[in-house]
Amino acid sequence: MPDQHHQAAASPLVGVSYVMPVLNDASHVRAAVESILAQDYSGPVEVLIALGPSIDGTAELVADLAARDDRVRVLENEVGSTPSGLNIGIRAARYPVVVRVDSHSMLPVDYARVAVGVLERTGADNVGGIMDAHGETPFEQAVALAYTTKVGLGGSAFHVGGAEGPAETVYLGVFRRSALERVGLFDETIKRGQDWELNRRLRQTGGTVWFTPELAVTYRPRSSVDRLARQMFSTGLWRGELARRFPAANGIRYFIPPAMVVGVTIGLILGIIGLVQAVMGATPWLLLGFVVPAAYLLFVVAATLVYARGRGAAVAWWFLVVLPCIHVSWGVGFVLGYLSLTSNIAKHTGR
């Protein structure tokens, strides 16, 4: 049901502040900003780019964007992290609606108009939609496919779609600035998963987080195996940290990848011991341990046949690589984060 937390509806012409943290992303940021400037929203807008210390030409690029359009402002983000950049942008925002934008994302032309309309209709604190991943190379297409299927990232509505209504969290988000101020903005000690944690506080304080499939943001996935593995490891690490900090707020789906990693690891160890048993002439009953990794491999092959069918041989072959990369990297990260086994979690940002 619509949230009753807000008594007054948002005006259709309410001002909108787009907030985008950017760090070393010269290849994507121009397209992301242009998608904002092309919005069909008729109210006043500003684009706040929180620029971290970049060395790839991003600083010069965003300076040029600001020089070309006075709606664009560049803010210094000395820390360079996503949550610090978001908070810098929110504090500098002039308008009552804050739209979080990622430099890897491409907003549809009606994004702000639809989102503000949903805020007005529902009274929600935060409105978001689908992370609509699209790749250009076969590898990126395989990653996008994994993102948008239940076997990849767990089947959350903002990945695979679903019915409109209250949600645990959403992709990016269009916020009432007053709601952000009510809960104290983003937690800057959380480098990944800060959206989920913020939305948890919004819900705890009586607000509603609202998912709508009307909003679909194009997302450009990582372009190589090592970058994908780094992103997934960091995401899993922080998800494990958050699961440990807030044990009552986690669904069972978060524990499936780490359970798979632990099961496959134990199965491989037992299977290897079984091989030793066979060499030594003992009954190699521990060879049964290989059943677990074999079952996982069969799952990956079956998922590829189901989801990658008709998408070309290159995408299918990469899907066979991408799916274990996501599961294993995320699962290992989760275990380390949950058990506090990493020496400096703050350095893992997934970039």
Side-chain angles (χ1 to χ4, degrees), residues 266-290:
I266 292 174
L268 286 171
I269 292 172
L270 293 177
I272 291 170
I273 294 174
L275 290 174
V276 174
Q277 287 178 320
V279 170
M280 297 179 65
T283 303
W285 61 274
L286 288 179
L287 286 173
L288 290 173
F290 284 133

Side-chain angles (χ1 to χ4, degrees), residues 302-351:
T304 301
L305 292 174
V306 171
Y307 292 105
R309 181 184 304 169
R311 297 177 181 268
V315 173
W317 281 113
W318 274 122
F319 194 77
L320 285 169
V321 175
V322 163
L323 207 57
C325 179
I326 290 174
H327 293 162
V328 173
S329 301
W330 200 99
V332 170
F334 184 97
V335 171
L336 296 178
Y338 190 76
L339 299 178
S340 296
L341 295 178
T342 183
S343 58
N344 182 12
I345 191 172
K347 72 179 182 180
H348 294 280
T349 63
R351 294 186 182 276

Side-chain angles (χ1 to χ4, degrees), residues 68 105 130 307 324 332:
R68 291 171 180 268
S105 61
I130 298 172
Y307 292 105
V332 170

Side-chain angles (χ1 to χ4, degrees), residues 190-348:
I190 300 174
K191 305 306 180 184
R192 293 192 71 82
Q194 63 273 354
D195 301 286
W196 177 88
E197 192 279 330
L198 174 71
N199 285 320
R200 181 191 67 85
R201 281 183 281 132
L202 289 175
R203 290 184 287 107
Q204 277 192 333
T205 56
T208 295
V209 178
W210 192 267
F211 169 80
T212 174
E214 290 184 82
L215 299 175
V217 180
T218 299
Y219 173 82
R220 301 300 184 194
R222 298 300 193 268
S223 58
S224 65
V225 173
D226 64 313
R227 294 186 68 191
L228 176 65
R230 191 161 60 246
Q231 177 193 25
M232 289 296 112
F233 176 79
S234 297
T235 302
L237 191 71
W238 280 102
R239 184 68 258 173
E241 169 74 9
L242 293 173
R244 184 176 54 79
R245 288 193 197 183
F246 311 107
N250 297 278
I252 189 65
R253 71 179 185 273
Y254 295 125
F255 295 89
I256 295 176
M260 179 277 297
V261 167
V262 172
V264 168
T265 301
I266 292 174
L268 286 171
I269 292 172
L270 293 177
I272 291 170
I273 294 174
L275 290 174
V276 174
Q277 287 178 320
V279 170
M280 297 179 65
T283 303
W285 61 274
L286 288 179
L287 286 173
L288 290 173
F290 284 133
V291 169
V292 179
Y296 176 69
L297 288 176
L298 287 175
F299 164 77
V300 171
V301 171
T304 301
L305 292 174
V306 171
Y307 292 105
R309 181 184 304 169
R311 297 177 181 268
V315 173
W317 281 113
W318 274 122
F319 194 77
L320 285 169
V321 175
V322 163
L323 207 57
C325 179
I326 290 174
H327 293 162
V328 173
S329 301
W330 200 99
V332 170
F334 184 97
V335 171
L336 296 178
Y338 190 76
L339 299 178
S340 296
L341 295 178
T342 183
S343 58
N344 182 12
I345 191 172
K347 72 179 182 180
H348 294 280

Side-chain angles (χ1 to χ4, degrees), residues 137-149:
T137 68
F139 175 80
E140 292 173 357
Q141 290 170 25
V143 176
L145 180 60
Y147 278 12
T148 55
T149 57

